[in-house]
Amino acid sequence: MREEEIEKLRGVIRDCVSKHLYSSAIFFADKVAAVTGEPADVYMQAQALYLGRHHRRAFHLLNASQIEELKEWDQCLLMLEDAKVDEHGNVSDTKACNTMYLDKEGEDRDMNITSAICFLRGKAYEALENRAQARQWYKAAIKADPLCYEALECLLEKHMLTSEEERSLLSSLQFGPEDGWLSSFYSCLIKKYDKESIVEAKFRELEQEDSNIKPSEQSFVCTLKNNTDLLACKAEYYHQCGEYQKCFELTSILLEKDPFHLKCMLVHLAAAMELGQSNELYLMACNLVKDYPQKALSWFAVGCYYYCIKKYDQSRRYFSKATSLDGTFPPAWIGYGNAYAAQEEGDQAMSAYRTAARLFPGCHLPTLYIGMEYMRSHSFKLAEQFFMQAKTICSTDPLVYNELGVVAYHMKEYKKAVWWFENTLAHVPSSLSEMWEPTVVNLAHALRKLKRYREAITYYEKALALSSRSLSTYAGLAYTYHLQDNYTAAITYYHKALWLKPDDQFCTEMLTLALVDESRCGVPNVEPRCSKLFI
């Protein structure tokens, strides 16, 4: 056969596959592969065999698709031959680096065969629990062809990369001139701890219609404004920012539109947990178990429901079931640890977190929670080490800086605590919400310890603007005024604190002292008004 005849046959094979004429596709693919022996043609033949349900034949030929069902991963790697890849996803084997496409000159845009083979290597290594090699081959797959979304999905959803490594990988991808939208979309998939203006600009770029297009051509212009994947990314961003109600409302709308969007379901469950929506969690869990009984997400949802209603033993049981169904599902491991931590069973919680940290090296949350467990047991130096490790993995999450500030405060390193708390507020991506009120109060406490009373009062007042029902804020503000000998203001805020918690021992004792101090200074002791007037 001449080259042009072979190329025409490749087109026939693709056309047969698209029309589900698999026997015809297998017939012609077998002949092309026999003539050329090229990996791309062998891969095409294996694909046709798999689609035609000739799984064993596909396995013995290349085993690219059916390998996942047969689990012959070692044999798969032998069939793919040796190749080396470095930590940046660069393949050193010349054959593996050969940029060969299934359709060399056709009109269709086909996946790079090198990318597909690199991805298969990654799947094989992951199944063999060699996650370091799996990560490198997934990186090689997406670098060989940015269209290999499945490789990027494995890297992101299984937290194989740190936030810095995610950004570095995306910046190294070579997108085609027509793939600008894809580059923007991928940037919305990675961890989103950047400032609100930066992240919102990314979403707007994908949502807006091109204003330079002529009105006569507008009907041919598409926008991703209503795309469910993009909206799920936005909901995930709202959750990271602590905008749980906003996140819940968006995911509720999305699930009406696409009731089986699993990524959206996960974000919806997380938002419902934060909002204490136990009824919603119950309904979601029932529906998921009915529709997807073999998915880890379904039993994770059941665990979330029991966690929400504080039945932690049942919660642990279902989180454990989720991990047994899919050991690479990060939320289940974290939920499993949290359920133990909720009952102050630190050793078991630590074990779960350590497993999660080992399985998902790009996720900083297990390390962060280990630090929290050490802090709860007053092992502050160990806690600090794990918080710093979490900071290395994700240097942009403000929660990490807050915990570093808390541990510095407990170690009486108040200047360091102020520095960490100020860094926390600097890393909050959006305007301050009630979620960050404890950080503002912590900063005020640390400033008070340093006798920087005016600054402390300023931050206490900022905290009251975020939440007016915090006993700690009122007590701290009252005590600061008391230290400044401003007894009238101190008495006022002690009363406000006691209105929230009448039996608070500290405020009761300090109010008595403030009244005594005020009377000693010769200031008329005016009876305080009804506490309701102090709200």
Side-chain angles (χ1 to χ4, degrees), residues 138-298:
Y138 286 146
K139 288 167 75 173
I142 189 70
K143 290 182 78 169
D145 191 340
L147 295 183
C148 189
Y149 166 75
E150 198 165 355
L152 182 65
E153 184 180 45
C154 288
L155 288 169
L156 298 184
E157 293 195 356
K158 296 174 184 178
H159 296 282
M160 293 186 172
L161 305 176
T162 67
S163 58
E164 185 58 39
E165 287 172 336
E166 288 178 357
R167 286 193 293 269
S168 177
L169 177 62
L170 288 192
S171 66
S172 71
L173 299 184
Q174 297 180 353
F175 292 94
E178 71 279 17
D179 292 334
W181 71 272
L182 186 61
S183 174
S184 299
F185 202 107
Y186 282 177
S187 70
C188 291
L189 294 174
I190 64 174
K191 295 180 180 72
K192 295 172 277 292
Y193 290 104
D194 293 320
K195 285 295 182 183
E196 183 178 28
S197 56
I198 298 174
V199 179
E200 292 287 354
K202 291 179 183 178
F203 287 125
R204 280 196 301 273
E205 185 179 347
L206 291 165
E207 292 172 344
Q208 67 184 5
E209 296 177 359
D210 194 339
S211 57
N212 297 321
I213 299 296
K214 298 176 183 178
S216 59
E217 298 175 347
Q218 284 289 346
S219 59
F220 298 100
V221 178
C222 298
T223 176
L224 292 172
K225 186 175 183 179
N226 297 315
N227 178 257
T228 51
D229 281 347
L230 184 63
L231 291 174
C233 285
K234 185 176 278 192
E236 191 176 50
Y237 169 66
Y238 290 149
H239 183 270
Q240 284 184 357
C241 290
E243 300 279 355
Y244 302 124
Q245 186 60 43
K246 210 171 178 179
C247 173
F248 184 78
E249 290 170 1
L250 180 55
T251 52
S252 297
I253 294 170
L254 277 177
L255 290 174
E256 285 183 10
K257 183 179 179 181
D258 186 353
F260 303 103
H261 196 292
L262 297 183
K263 183 176 180 181
C264 180
M265 284 182 179
L266 179 58
V267 183
H268 188 71
L269 288 169
M273 278 277 290
E274 295 291 347
L275 296 171
Q277 297 270 9
S278 57
N279 288 341
E280 180 68 15
L281 288 169
Y282 178 80
L283 292 172
M284 286 285 292
C286 289
N287 290 333
L288 280 167
V289 169
K290 180 183 69 174
D291 296 329
Y292 300 104
Q294 295 305 314
K295 281 197 174 291
L297 177 65
S298 305

Side-chain angles (χ1 to χ4, degrees), residues 7-30 32 44-45 47-49 51-52 108:
E7 191 57 43
K8 284 182 180 179
L9 279 179
R10 288 174 178 146
V12 169
I13 296 164
R14 287 190 294 272
D15 191 51
C16 288
V17 169
S18 69
K19 293 181 170 64
H20 306 289
L21 302 173
Y22 300 127
S23 292
S24 297
I26 292 167
F27 176 81
F28 290 112
D30 174 65
V32 170
M44 185 184 284
Q45 183 187 1
Q47 182 187 38
L49 286 167
L51 292 172
D108 297 334

Side-chain angles (χ1 to χ4, degrees), residues 400-429:
V400 176
Y401 292 88
N402 180 74
E403 296 307 309
L404 282 165
V406 172
V407 79
Y409 185 92
H410 281 299
M411 291 193 294
K412 303 186 187 306
E413 298 174 349
Y414 301 120
K415 285 186 179 179
K416 188 192 284 190
V418 167
W419 189 82
W420 284 121
F421 290 136
E422 288 176 340
N423 268 276
T424 303
L425 299 179
H427 280 84
V428 173

Side-chain angles (χ1 to χ4, degrees), residues 10-154:
R10 288 174 178 146
V12 169
I13 296 164
R14 287 190 294 272
D15 191 51
C16 288
V17 169
S18 69
K19 293 181 170 64
H20 306 289
L21 302 173
Y22 300 127
S23 292
S24 297
I26 292 167
F27 176 81
F28 290 112
D30 174 65
K31 308 308 176 286
V32 170
V35 170
T36 68
E38 292 186 3
D41 294 321
V42 176
Y43 188 89
M44 185 184 284
Q45 183 187 1
Q47 182 187 38
L49 286 167
Y50 176 72
L51 292 172
R53 297 184 181 278
H54 298 281
H55 295 151
R56 289 283 173 180
R57 283 187 66 194
F59 171 70
H60 288 293
L61 179 66
L62 179 63
N63 210 2
S65 299
Q66 179 62 11
I67 193 68
E68 294 187 29
E69 292 185 24
L70 299 179
K71 306 296 183 188
E72 299 287 350
W73 296 108
D74 289 306
Q75 187 173 348
C76 168
L77 289 172
L78 288 172
M79 293 177 71
L80 290 173
E81 301 178 350
D82 290 332
K84 293 181 180 179
V85 62
D86 64 20
E87 60 181 8
H88 302 295
N90 300 314
V91 183
S92 58
D93 186 279
T94 54
K95 293 180 181 179
C97 289
N98 185 18
T99 55
M100 186 184 304
Y101 290 84
L102 295 180
D103 183 8
K104 295 179 181 177
E105 299 176 357
E107 295 179 357
D108 297 334
R109 177 119 177 249
D110 291 322
M111 187 74 69
N112 187 323
I113 185 63
T114 301
S115 177
I117 292 174
C118 288
F119 175 73
L120 178 57
R121 286 182 186 275
K123 291 291 285 184
Y125 277 116
E126 186 182 359
L128 295 170
E129 296 189 1
N130 188 339
R131 289 178 175 80
Q133 279 289 310
R135 177 181 62 188
Q136 291 173 7
W137 282 109
Y138 286 146
K139 288 167 75 173
I142 189 70
K143 290 182 78 169
D145 191 340
L147 295 183
C148 189
Y149 166 75
E150 198 165 355
L152 182 65
E153 184 180 45
C154 288

